[in-house]
Amino acid sequence: METQKCVLYDRDCIGCMECEMCDLDPNKVCDNCGKCLDIRDYATIRIDKIIREPNKKIKK
């Protein structure tokens, strides 16, 4: 029988179920709500400059 590796620590899985617990509420089992990931509905990217090839024509 092959043992599983622990996803939190450098060891074999011992069945402690710590990996299944919520990061925000340690008394709750994780239900994949995503609140701990800080996911937003939008994202912004700041562009410092645009670099073009000097001899390349821009199509209009």
Side-chain angles (χ1 to χ4, degrees), residues 1-37:
M1 182 174 154
E2 194 172 317
T3 59
Q4 290 182 326
K5 296 303 272 182
C6 178
V7 296
L8 299 176
Y9 307 109
D10 187 23
R11 66 177 185 207
D12 290 337
C13 177
I14 60 172
C16 69
M17 300 300 288
E18 188 177 344
C19 58
E20 296 292 326
M21 301 312 292
C22 175
D23 287 343
L24 301 176
D25 181 4
N27 298 319
K28 180 179 118 178
V29 175
C30 177
D31 60 1
N32 294 318
C33 69
K35 291 179 183 176
C36 62
L37 300 176

Side-chain angles (χ1 to χ4, degrees), residues 31-46:
D31 60 1
N32 294 318
C33 69
K35 291 179 183 176
C36 62
L37 300 176
D38 191 31
I39 297 174
R40 299 183 181 145
D41 291 338
Y42 61 90
T44 58
I45 299 172
R46 181 175 170 212

